Amino acid sequence: MKDDTTRPATSLISRRATIEGDILGNESLAIEGVVKGSVKLSGNIVVETSGNVEADLEAENVVIRGRVRGYVMARQHLVIAPSGKLIGDFAARSVDIQQGAHFEGRSQMLAASPNASTSADKPATA
Amino acid sequence: MTTLGAALKFKGHITGDDDLKIAGTFEGEVAIKGELFVASTAVISGDISARSISSEGDMRGMLTAQKTIRLRSGAGMKGSLKTPQLTMEKGALLNGEVTMGPAGQPKTAKTDTLARLVGSPDDRAYKQSGQQPADARSTAVADGVGGETTPVAQTTGKAK
């Protein structure tokens, strides 16, 4: 389970950084610091335990080990780890909310068609 | 160190006391206490403030460094720079305005000395009031006073 969601993140927002704004791109991102705004990637997003996100997230796979407040869209898989906290709605093709995790919001499962994920990829690629 | 990769586009602002590396497209404001590295793939526009800035990429806007700005070969910069120390390598392009002096503090002991060396209005004001600038006096004392070891600032002042 861990292997397919934790491809090496190429970008990092460290725990001593605060980022406010909109991030778009074709890679993966690890968040250890504070992020406000929106993040839309064709790769994966990992919110580490020190991460504090008040933003809408969209990525292929999303792993939440820290705190997230906002809308989360995982085109493939969403994991909320035991240390993770999600306040907000999410949409994902599959989801793993682990024991101890905190989730408040609405859940929406995406259709499992492979077309759905490729078409969702395009806006981030452009 | 925070890293924003080459395939990332970011619009907004970044703050923190960590180092930052930008390799992608960035538009907005950076205010960090650490060092900023701008990779050759980066395209940055906006106001940047950091302890030091080292660039190989394309930047436009206002850069303020507390320590040093280094424009490496391949770097392009359009706008204004404010830094106590500037290094430009061969192949770097700079179009704009450079202000050298401690960042964020327009007048400190260091700029004062510089101003006296070039005989600024401050210098004349000191002379008229018959006073010596405090640090020039202390240099004289440290040198053991005497006519022959006049502090530099004073000599230049007289020559003017």
Side-chain angles (χ1 to χ4, degrees):
Chain A
M1 175 276 299
K2 242 182 172 178
D3 290 335
D4 61 340
T5 51
T6 48
R7 256 194 300 166
T10 45
S11 290
L12 167 72
I13 293 164
S14 78
R15 78 177 59 204
R16 284 152 70 199
T18 301
I19 275 190
E20 259 173 75
D22 304 317
I23 302 175
L24 259 175
N26 281 324
E27 50 190 82
S28 298
L29 176 68
I31 301 171
E32 296 176 352
V34 178
V35 173
K36 289 178 185 169
S38 76
V39 183
K40 193 172 177 184
L41 303 178
S42 63
N44 305 322
I45 297 174
V46 180
V47 180
E48 299 292 358
T49 47
S50 58
N52 197 342
V53 175
E54 259 176 64
D56 296 336
L57 305 180
E58 183 180 335
E60 205 60 19
N61 300 291
V62 178
V63 178
I64 299 175
R65 301 195 182 107
R67 296 154 53 92
V68 176
R69 188 184 281 266
Y71 177 76
V72 177
M73 157 82 148
R75 287 184 297 269
Q76 295 297 327
H77 191 59
L78 168 70
V79 177
I80 308 178
S83 56
K85 186 172 182 178
L86 171 61
I87 298 178
D89 303 343
F90 76 77
R93 226 181 91 179
S94 66
V95 64
D96 179 7
I97 300 179
Q98 294 170 0
Q99 193 175 7
H102 186 101
F103 169 55
E104 282 175 45
R106 284 174 297 183
S107 153
Q108 187 201 347
M109 302 314 286
L110 300 172
S113 83
N115 289 348
S117 84
T118 45
S119 66
D121 260 344
K122 271 178 186 155
T125 321
Chain B
M1 178 164 87
T2 297
T3 312
L4 298 177
L8 279 192
K9 271 187 191 168
F10 176 63
K11 209 175 205 177
H13 57 267
I14 304 178
T15 52
D17 42 11
D18 210 4
D19 293 347
L20 170 67
K21 181 178 175 180
I22 299 178
T25 307
F26 173 80
E27 199 183 318
E29 244 175 276
V30 174
I32 54 168
K33 294 199 180 101
E35 196 163 339
L36 172 69
F37 302 94
V38 179
S40 57
T41 49
V43 179
I44 293 180
S45 65
D47 293 352
I48 313 284
S49 163
R51 184 164 46 84
S52 294
I53 299 167
S54 171
S55 172
E56 295 179 339
D58 205 14
M59 303 179 84
R60 61 184 58 210
M62 201 170 98
L63 308 188
T64 310
Q66 277 73 53
K67 241 179 127 185
T68 172
I69 291 178
R70 183 184 291 265
L71 298 177
R72 295 182 174 277
S73 176
M77 169 67 202
K78 200 169 186 179
S80 60
L81 305 181
K82 189 167 186 186
T83 174
Q85 210 175 57
L86 173 67
T87 312
M88 270 186 80
E89 284 178 10
K90 195 175 164 188
L93 299 175
L94 170 62
N95 284 297
E97 193 188 353
V98 179
T99 314
M100 291 184 95
Q105 306 149 324
K107 203 175 160 188
T108 62
K110 215 171 184 178
T111 40
D112 240 353
T113 315
L114 270 175
R116 279 199 309 278
L117 284 168
V118 295
S120 76
D122 284 347
D123 187 26
R124 289 192 287 277
Y126 279 129
K127 292 201 115 177
Q128 274 162 14
S129 61
Q131 273 183 332
Q132 270 184 9
D135 51 342
R137 202 159 45 215
S138 61
T139 323
V141 173
D143 284 345
V145 199
E148 65 267 34
T149 47
T150 348
V152 185
Q154 252 182 308
T155 327
T156 343
K158 269 176 199 161
K160 267 263 150 178

